[in-house]
């Protein structure tokens, strides 16, 4: 258990350092950040949407938003991975609602 906690602490520290570099437009830091987080982001989004194509679209949007809005991350509000997954969750739910509304609106009315 202690080894797991230690590994999580190391990952959190690494992500924090990477997001600080991303805030300075460091493309290599962004690439490293992506490599460390994409599996968790993909997993969360897929659990919400259940569709590979929609998931891939949302994951791309999530990382674009992280790149563009890295300066909006504040460590006082939570962990980097928590911030990243919150963005992913919000994006996935937005698409889910959009798709659900579209499906409901195109169904023929019963008469």
């Amino acid at each position: 258990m202690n080894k797991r906690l230690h590994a999580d602490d190391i990952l959190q520290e690494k992500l924090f350092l990477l997001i600080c570099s991303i805030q300075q437009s460091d493309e290599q830091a962004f690439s490293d950040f992506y490599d460390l987080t994409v599996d968790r982001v993909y997993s969360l989004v897929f659990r919400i949407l259940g569709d590979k194509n929609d998931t891939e679209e949302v994951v791309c949007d999530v990382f674009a938003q992280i790149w563009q809005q890295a300066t909006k991350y504040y460590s006082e509000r939570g962990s980097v991975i928590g911030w990243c997954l919150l963005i992913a969750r919000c994006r996935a739910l937005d698409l889910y609602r959009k798709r659900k509304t579209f499906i409901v609106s195109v169904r023929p009315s019963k008469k």
Side-chain angles (χ1 to χ4, degrees), residues 38-53:
V38 68
D39 290 342
R40 289 183 72 181
V41 170
Y42 187 96
S43 177
L44 173 64
V45 173
F46 187 79
R47 276 184 274 150
I48 293 169
L49 298 175
D51 179 83
K52 183 182 176 201
N53 291 330

Side-chain angles (χ1 to χ4, degrees), residues 49-95:
L49 298 175
D51 179 83
K52 183 182 176 201
N53 291 330
D54 286 345
T55 297
E56 289 173 358
E57 176 185 337
V58 169
V59 169
C60 287
D61 291 345
V62 167
F63 284 99
Q65 184 173 346
I66 289 169
W67 174 256
Q68 294 165 352
Q69 298 181 351
T71 57
K72 293 187 177 183
Y73 169 73
Y74 297 103
S75 60
E76 303 82 31
R77 295 183 185 169
S79 69
V80 176
I81 194 65
W83 177 73
C84 182
L85 292 175
L86 178 62
I87 292 170
R89 180 181 175 276
C90 290
R91 288 282 187 152
L93 289 174
D94 286 348
L95 184 61

Side-chain angles (χ1 to χ4, degrees), residues 21-35:
S21 295
I22 295 168
Q23 290 171 343
Q24 304 301 315
S25 301
D26 183 330
E27 293 178 8
Q28 183 59 52
F30 181 72
S31 177
D32 294 344
F33 183 89
Y34 177 89
D35 291 342

